[in-house]
Amino acid sequence: MRKHSVDEDVYILAIESSCDETAAAVVKNGREVLSNVISSQIALHTQFGGVVPEIASRKHIEKVNQVVEEALEEAHMTLDGITAVAVTYGPGLVGALLVGVAAAKAIAWAAKKPLVPVHHIEGHVSANFIENKELEPPFVCEIISGGHTHLVIVKDYGEFEIIGRTRDDAAGEAFDKVARAVGLGYPGGPKVDKAAKDGDPHAYEFPRAKVGENPYDFSFSGLKSAVLNDINRAKMTGEEICVPDLAASFQNAVVEALVSRAIAACKEYHYDQLAIAGGVASNSALRAGMEEACRENHIRFYRPSPILCTDNAAMIGAAGYYEYINGVRAGWDLNAIPNLKFGER
Ligand code: KG4
Ligand code: ZN
């Protein structure tokens, strides 16, 4: 049985730099965010239509010390008062991860504090603990980010059973590719979300994928290809594409796939708590659809505020707390693991 709390207060300084946000936060006892500083690189990558890894790494180097200082300042703390330093060590872009890992190691070593390695996806799941003090495992969680689409049972803090996953593209990846194809650009998810607000979700008919024998697996590449085919056909015939309608119809298909599987999993495995996590969890249509389906099925629905769905360090501090109290520590040889598997250390 893993520990759920300890007697003394635990202050985690957390650092996150796995992709295009340089972030630092101070989190008290896993659930109270004392500061949450995020330096976004969106403006920098927009001109290239997506994240350029080399540029991301360089920007992280420039920003990391500054965000850490700001996080401590906002929390009215010095390194002395910090219990441990937690850092995302994978998965993500290797150069980007290395900046956070190196910074965390240096700070922890200099301040003589323990170093706690955190899996980025465990961080996303843990974002749900911050605003929902009553939420405790076990519950079903749908993790939907730019690189992952996993349906899991959170059995305990840091303990997951994967019951479904994408066979091809992650949900966020599909949003990003469709956004690029219709000319909405980077970052794709929020742009599709916004465009879809003025569109008809039934204007275009897109296929709903049936995926092999596991009812909880996902597939988004067929849907993505269908959208791209429609765009290409329209270009060739000179027909005009209605971007809001296309965005809304695509989004509706993704939301249907995500909602139906999550609800079915809660019913089959007999859980009455469902959480969503990751960048796509900030999608407004998904939040509304999931909320309604949960109400109808008497399932308690949890979702982090949008700012805690996308990459941030507060979620790493929340996950780091549960790892810390369970004795998880990294040595000074901690390395970034870009393809770190979920459920592995
Ligand atoms: O969790 P995240 O910030 O980074 C990863 O760990 O991958 O997720 C980023 C993904 C991107 O694919 C982005 O397009 C998507 O989340 N995303 C959204 C929305 N906001 C971010 N997708 C749909 N609707 C949104 N509002
Ligand atoms: Zn993420």
Side-chain angles (χ1 to χ4, degrees):
M1 181 72 180
R2 288 170 66 95
K3 275 190 205 165
H4 291 190
S5 63
V6 285
D7 289 338
E8 74 275 17
D9 284 335
V10 173
Y11 295 87
I12 302 282
L13 169 66
I15 300 176
E16 153 67 41
S17 69
S18 65
C19 189
D20 54 355
E21 329 277 355
T22 324
V26 178
V27 179
K28 182 180 175 186
N29 298 334
R31 300 205 177 214
E32 195 183 329
V33 176
L34 303 186
S35 62
N36 186 25
V37 179
I38 306 171
S39 169
S40 172
Q41 302 182 357
I42 286 180
L44 195 66
H45 298 293
T46 298
Q47 54 186 313
F48 303 104
V51 180
V52 183
E54 183 59 30
I55 294 177
S57 315
R58 285 168 192 264
K59 202 68 192 171
H60 284 309
I61 295 175
E62 251 176 72
K63 291 283 176 184
V64 69
N65 288 335
Q66 191 184 326
V67 297
V68 167
E69 270 168 34
E70 276 178 40
L72 288 169
E73 227 166 77
E74 255 180 50
H76 304 292
M77 295 200 67
T78 61
L79 279 175
D80 274 352
I82 294 294
T83 315
V85 181
V87 65
T88 305
Y89 73 112
L93 302 169
V94 66
L97 287 164
L98 275 171
V99 177
V101 168
K105 282 202 272 192
I107 293 167
W109 186 80
K112 300 191 173 58
K113 305 288 175 180
L115 180 65
V116 180
V118 174
H119 192 295
H120 181 74
I121 296 302
E122 188 183 335
H124 275 302
V125 173
S126 304
N128 281 286
F129 299 135
I130 294 169
E131 294 157 310
N132 304 296
K133 312 286 182 225
E134 76 286 7
L135 176 63
E136 293 204 24
F139 56 91
V140 172
C141 187
E142 194 164 49
I143 303 156
I144 24 181
S145 69
H148 290 73
T149 305
H150 279 22
L151 194 52
V152 307
I153 295 170
V154 182
K155 303 207 126 178
D156 203 341
Y157 295 101
E159 204 182 308
F160 307 94
E161 180 188 337
I162 299 172
I163 57 172
R165 65 178 82 223
T166 184
R167 299 281 184 100
D168 38 61
D169 290 354
E173 207 177 336
F175 268 98
D176 294 336
K177 287 176 180 169
V178 164
R180 195 171 310 143
V182 292
L184 288 170
Y186 160 92
K191 296 225 162 132
V192 171
D193 193 346
K194 189 153 176 259
K197 289 194 198 309
D198 303 318
D200 172 5
H202 305 290
Y204 291 84
E205 205 46 60
F206 292 128
R208 305 309 197 239
K210 293 225 170 24
V211 196
E213 63 279 3
N214 182 356
Y216 301 115
D217 276 352
F218 303 85
S219 168
F220 294 107
S221 77
L223 169 63
K224 174 199 67 190
S225 302
V227 176
L228 301 191
N229 285 343
D230 273 11
I231 296 168
N232 288 336
R233 197 172 30 246
K235 272 186 195 153
M236 286 195 310
T237 57
E239 185 193 324
E240 207 167 304
I241 282 278
C242 175
V243 173
D245 281 354
L246 190 95
S249 303
F250 159 75
Q251 181 174 267
N252 189 41
V254 176
V255 168
E256 257 184 48
L258 294 172
V259 171
S260 61
R261 284 165 178 76
I263 300 290
C266 288
K267 284 184 170 171
E268 186 182 330
Y269 290 88
H270 305 291
Y271 287 102
D272 63 357
Q273 308 193 101
L274 169 66
I276 54 175
V280 183
S282 63
N283 183 269
S284 57
L286 175 72
R287 292 163 86 89
M290 206 65 106
E291 182 125 38
E292 192 187 337
C294 283
R295 199 176 327 111
E296 280 167 8
N297 289 283
H298 309 289
I299 296 164
R300 265 168 295 160
F301 175 48
Y302 296 94
R303 73 275 185 283
S305 292
I307 192 70
L308 295 174
C309 287
T310 45
D311 291 347
N312 65 87
M315 68 184 195
I316 303 304
Y321 167 78
Y322 290 103
E323 296 296 346
Y324 171 78
I325 64 172
N326 281 289
V328 177
R329 305 284 184 270
W332 302 125
D333 59 349
L334 178 68
N335 204 356
I337 306 184
N339 56 355
L340 183 65
K341 297 281 174 287
F342 187 50
E344 283 177 22
R345 293 200 184 284

